[in-house]
Amino acid sequence: MVIRKYITLLLLVFSISGCNNDSSKSNEDNFEVNNDFEVNLETKDKFDQLLTSFAQGENITIILHIKNISSTTKNLNFNSSKQYDFVVKNSENELFWRWSSGQLFTDVLTSYDLAPNEERIITYTWNQMTSDTGTMLPVGSYVLETDDIGIDVVATQKLTIL
């Protein structure tokens, strides 16, 4: 656990100083940390390769890791059965896709516990269809974000559609 915290600190220092990898090839260092949780958002292609650049229409596998890095069990509470969401926006903050769009969720309080060092992994494969019109996402640069994950952390991942 101590080693993980030092690695996390080093990665944060490198990201602040501008030393990072080519984001078109790897996105394994893309995570957010608060005092209790480490949140990592990754994207992979059909060959299970970590990528941030995809051909238009190519399926994108989204992997969200939520890890309790504290020394106590943490409870995450939700106002409905929806316990996470993903959104894709362009540089003007225009929403192109929301995972939960068009889905129904029960209006009941839900929760789950994460023990110390326990990690919850959520995986979803997206076909690049937009939420509003159901058309293919246009070629361009975007940001994938987490939303409504039960903690005050938003993980982001840059996406390029070629």
Side-chain angles (χ1 to χ4, degrees):
M1 171 125 168
V2 172
I3 292 172
R4 188 166 200 53
K5 286 184 179 180
Y6 286 119
I7 291 171
T8 301
L9 179 61
L10 285 173
L11 290 171
L12 287 172
V13 168
F14 281 121
S15 67
I16 291 170
S17 67
C19 299
N20 56 28
N21 294 333
D22 180 1
S23 65
S24 66
K25 296 180 181 172
S26 171
N27 57 22
E28 53 193 34
D29 294 334
N30 188 28
F31 60 86
E32 297 294 328
V33 178
N34 71 12
N35 292 334
D36 297 324
F37 297 96
E38 177 181 285
V39 180
N40 184 9
L41 186 60
E42 302 172 325
T43 49
K44 293 183 177 182
D45 67 3
K46 64 183 175 184
F47 301 110
D48 208 30
Q49 299 292 314
L50 288 169
L51 294 176
T52 59
S53 295
F54 298 89
Q56 187 180 40
E58 179 181 3
N59 283 345
I60 300 173
T61 300
I62 301 165
I63 305 102
L64 171 62
H65 302 262
I66 303 171
K67 183 174 183 178
N68 179 358
I69 59 172
S70 76
S71 59
T72 60
T73 297
K74 297 295 178 181
N75 181 267
L76 285 83
N77 297 299
F78 304 89
N79 292 327
S80 74
S81 61
K82 181 177 82 165
Q83 296 183 351
Y84 63 91
D85 207 350
F86 301 113
V87 296
V88 172
K89 300 176 182 178
N90 65 9
S91 59
E92 288 80 41
N93 211 30
E94 180 183 6
L95 180 68
F96 279 79
W97 176 70
R98 177 176 292 278
W99 170 80
S100 63
S101 180
Q103 296 189 48
L104 299 175
F105 299 94
T106 57
D107 202 17
V108 61
L109 298 177
T110 59
S111 68
Y112 66 88
D113 291 334
L114 283 178
N117 292 313
E118 184 178 3
E119 181 177 32
R120 182 173 189 207
I121 300 172
I122 298 162
T123 303
Y124 180 76
T125 301
W126 175 46
N127 61 6
Q128 294 190 37
M129 299 299 279
T130 62
S131 296
D132 56 350
T133 62
T135 58
M136 191 60 57
L137 188 68
V139 170
S141 297
Y142 300 90
V143 175
L144 169 68
E145 297 179 352
T146 57
D147 194 18
D148 298 332
I149 61 173
I151 54 178
D152 290 334
V153 174
V154 174
T156 62
Q157 177 63 59
K158 292 181 181 179
L159 292 178
T160 302
I161 306 303
L162 307 171

